[in-house]
């Protein structure tokens, strides 16, 4: 590790402070207990770790679009800790079984985005979140049960609530046999949590949750690494 750091020094993904994936100050940006309203699911909320702004935004873009894979461990731990606090707190009342369990459903990426990045970034992040939950004593599985129509455009190419709604309309489908795995987990009392990187208008989350609900799977809570800051009054 030390030899690698000498030969290939790196800076903080958020502020470029040397010798850190995320420096202490930037790491704290992802430790907040934030929420965004998300009607149509049982809890009615999307849990978030950070505001998508300044250094937090830089760090997310470094991971998401510029291949800084070392960030996924930091982000996964932050999301896992945020979700664990909710599960053992407010979320416990939603669970039918006494032992906390979570089924994580990553929001899908388009095939073009996967090719461009070389990975389905949300599935990898969800798996780190799941490990963090298991380390906290919460049963967790990742169920990649949703896919996107290959004709859909990237979310950054369509702006606003209406644009994102048009992008998602009819473009989400369920993956077999993952749908049955998810149904069994939900019937056993696990909380179903849809996981995304950034929540903006919430249209992507709502469409994914609606697709699951139409297939007989109710979503308990949603989770995003960051939320776009609310508009100034």
């Amino acid at each position: 590790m030390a030899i690698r750091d000498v030969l290939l020094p790196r800076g903080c993904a958020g502020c470029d402070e040397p010798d850190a994936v995320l420096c202490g100050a930037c790491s704290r940006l992802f430790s907040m207990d934030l929420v965004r309203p998300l009607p149509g699911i049982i809890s009615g909320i999307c849990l978030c770790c950070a505001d998508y702004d300044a250094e937090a935004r830089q760090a997310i873009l470094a991971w998401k679009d510029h291949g800084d894979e070392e960030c996924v461990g930091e982000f996964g731990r932050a999301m896992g800790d945020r979700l664990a606090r909710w599960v053992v707190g407010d979320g416990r009342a939603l669970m039918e079984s006494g032992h906390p369990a979570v089924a994580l459903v990553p929001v899908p990426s388009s095939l073009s985005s996967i090719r461009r990045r070389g990975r389905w970034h949300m599935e990898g992040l969800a798996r780190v979140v799941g490990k963090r939950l298991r380390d906290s004593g919460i049963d967790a599985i990742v169920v990649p049960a949703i896919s996107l129509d290959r004709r859909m455009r990237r979310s950054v190419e369509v702006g606003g609530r209406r644009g994102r709604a048009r992008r998602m309309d009819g473009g989400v489908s369920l993956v077999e046999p993952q749908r049955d795995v998810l149904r069994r987990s939900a019937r056993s009392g696990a909380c179903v949590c849809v996981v995304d990187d950034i929540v903006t208008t919430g249209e992507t989350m709502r469409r994914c949750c609606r697709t699951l609900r139409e297939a007989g799977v109710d979503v308990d809570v949603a989770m995003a690494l960051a939320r776009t800051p609310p508009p100034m009054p």
Side-chain angles (χ1 to χ4, degrees), residues 80-91:
D81 291 347
R82 175 71 179 99
L83 184 53
R85 290 193 294 273
W86 181 84
V87 166
V88 301
D90 295 340

Side-chain angles (χ1 to χ4, degrees), residues 10-14 19-31 49 59-60 63 68-82 124-125 128-129 132 223 225:
R10 66 157 298 147
C12 168
D19 303 324
V21 177
L22 284 180
C23 69
C26 289
S27 181
R28 286 191 290 275
L29 295 175
F30 292 93
S31 63
C49 297
I60 292 171
W63 159 69
D68 192 345
E69 280 298 287
E70 289 185 284
C71 290
V72 74
E74 301 287 338
F75 294 156
R77 284 189 289 272
M79 294 180 75
D81 291 347
R82 175 71 179 99
L125 179 58
V128 180
V129 175
R132 187 67 170 183
M223 175 96 212
L225 177 59

Side-chain angles (χ1 to χ4, degrees), residues 132-210:
R132 187 67 170 183
L133 290 172
R134 291 190 295 274
D135 290 344
S136 301
I138 297 170
D139 289 341
I141 62 170
V142 176
V143 189
I146 310 175
S147 66
L148 294 186
D149 189 305
R150 69 178 60 201
R151 296 168 298 175
M152 292 175 61
R153 293 178 292 164
R154 292 189 296 157
S155 59
V156 296
E157 295 175 349
V158 282
R161 182 182 299 274
R162 291 182 180 179
R164 287 184 174 86
R166 287 195 299 270
R167 172 183 176 268
M168 296 301 297
D169 187 31
V172 181
S173 59
L174 294 177
V175 178
E176 300 286 1
Q178 299 293 337
R179 178 183 64 177
D180 295 331
V181 173
L182 188 58
R183 282 174 170 169
R184 288 195 297 271
S185 296
R187 285 198 297 267
S188 69
C191 281
V192 176
C193 177
V194 174
V195 184
D196 203 356
D197 50 10
I198 306 157
V199 59
T200 305
T201 66
E203 288 297 334
T204 300
M205 283 280 201
R206 275 190 286 273
R207 184 67 183 105
C208 290
C209 293
R210 185 161 61 246

Side-chain angles (χ1 to χ4, degrees), residues 45-61:
I45 59 172
C46 175
L47 309 173
C48 307
C49 297
D51 281 322
Y52 187 61
D53 195 15
E55 287 86 356
R57 179 178 182 274
Q58 289 300 115
I60 292 171
L61 290 176

